[in-house]
Amino acid sequence: MTDTPRQPLTGYALLHDPHFNKGSAFSESERLALGIEGLLPPVPATLQIQIARVTMQLSFLDSDLQKYLILSDLLARNETLYYAVLMSDPATFMPLVYTPTVGEACQKFDHFLRAPRGVYLPITARGRLVELLGNWPEKDVRFIVVTDGERILGLGDLGVGGMGIPMGKLSLYTACAGVPPKLTLPITLDVGTNNESLLNDPLYLGLRHQRVRGAEYVAFIEEFVQAVQQLFPKCCLQWEDFANFNAVTILERYRDKICTYNDDIQGTAAVALAGIFGALRISNEQLTDQRFLFLGAGSAATGIAELISEAITLEGGTIDQGRARNWLFDVNGLMVDSRSDVADFQKPFAHSHAPVSSFVEAIEAIKPTGIIGVSTVPKLFNRPVIEAMARINKRPIIFPFSNPTSRSECTAEEAYKWSGGRAIFASGSPFPPVELDGQRFIPGQGNNVYIFPAMGMAVLATGATRVTQAMFISAAKAVAEQVTNADRASGLIYPPQSHILDASLHTAARIAEHVFDQGLASVPRPENIDEHVRAAAYRPVYSSPV
Ligand code: NAD
């Protein structure tokens, strides 16, 4: 699957190559053969002992940012141990290497700069992007996560500090689905920043001018895409945390031309759809009978609405019938076709209806079976909203997806309490279990991590030439089918995150099956797809002794 591997170094340099370094785990014979005797404490350790040592170090720290930094340093020193630590307890370590901790790490990126990782492409290097990308030591790159740092999580424009996101996200591709780290590459495109405090900070590491827009930006993106195609023709490109207007247009421009996707739009849509499939397994209803009302009409809302519509077409409806089952409600009320402020990407969901300015009234008018909150505004799923949903539906679907927790449209407790325990609930940020009238509810988290690592693994295992909407629908179904009867009895509609590697490999295999069925693969179809995916997955073990 890969080209000729890089040759391991020997001697002192070996201990500074994170890919080959084993630290204290080099055996006595290895130390002798590799010329590193005396350069390490004398008694060799096992990987298990090393994991225990890192875990203990972390337990002494109060601050998650400090833990993040320790883990970043570990990655720069010993890649295998870093992934062994993460994969030993993903539910604990995911929040430390990605959200929420990565947000603070990006904000403080210029102040806590660590060992360089990935590639920075400044717009000042236009015309030379192939040359810069060619400086990356690996020549077989299969997966790139790229940002321009403009809309980092909910934190806005963080300029080159956004690099924490591709780095963290690629760690999850590996830790959660076994995408081999040497095939991955984090990239930040630096087109300037509009963040005044960064521009005024002497420690800021990026270009000190306002963001470049328009034709110059478009040409820079195009040169970047061409450079990736030229150097890494088998690579899948994942766009991450671009501003809405760029995210949507870039995806539209390239989705049918190269192997690419946008997790903010398509991964979010798939994880929401997985939640809906999970909810329908509880309510025993059909997708084609559902109606959804979104609070918020941005890229998350329209991305989810479009994927639901496409999933409806796979169950016999037309795309227009699918879209007619999805309604948007934004800061100016129900999005109806007579409004003058409807953007092109919202038009498919701006239906013919009288204007409605209150969300509760919209619920009464549209009679949705589910409401999905992607407004970034907390508390808007208030008591009258939940009570209206519970009046209309036996099992109302209530998904407050805005992140972080402080922005959630309601809490799990509110949804369960105000619906008399009938809500089928999932949120963007995690909520603890809820006890209500002697019953214990476990709220699910619609975390994109159920989708994107598995998508990466599936693309890798099949050599997929495109990433299609139908692949995301396959992913959503695969996630939902892993929820057990016991999970569902407590209201859970996603598999537990503690078994994320198994869950992702299952999901990856189902996506891969679809890729082979559709003729989108560039490798021969294996006899057993599950085994093929598992065999391609990275495991954090040291390579055999010399
Ligand atoms: P966005 O800024 O593009 O869209 C926000 C939308 O909400 C806009 O249409 C805006 O008009 C609307 N809005 C704002 N205030 C409102 C109000 N008072 N009433 C009604 N509508 C209002 O943002 P986005 O990228 O679409 O993301 C939205 C939210 O979804 C974010 O909080 C994000 O964290 C969350 N999200 C969650 C996940 C996940 O959990 N898996 C994934 C992606 C996005």
Side-chain angles (χ1 to χ4, degrees), residues 151 244 268 296-300 330-331 374-377 401-403 428 446 448:
R151 202 234 57 190
N244 221 338
T268 299
S299 55
D330 75 354
V331 73
V374 273
S375 65
T376 72
V377 183
F401 262 28
S402 286
N403 293 316
N448 293 26

Side-chain angles (χ1 to χ4, degrees), residues 329-343:
F329 187 103
D330 75 354
V331 73
N332 294 321
L334 188 64
M335 191 151 278
V336 292
D337 57 4
S338 56
R339 268 173 56 171
S340 58
D341 61 343
V342 181

Side-chain angles (χ1 to χ4, degrees), residues 429-441:
S429 299
F431 281 103
V434 173
E435 304 280 345
L436 186 74
D437 301 331
Q439 206 182 339
R440 187 164 203 261
F441 296 91

Side-chain angles (χ1 to χ4, degrees), residues 229-249:
Q229 293 287 292
Q230 184 180 329
L231 291 178
F232 312 123
K234 295 178 184 169
C235 187
C236 179
L237 202 47
Q238 193 229 288
W239 310 92
E240 182 74 22
D241 283 0
F242 284 70
N244 221 338
F245 48 91
N246 283 327
V248 173
T249 49

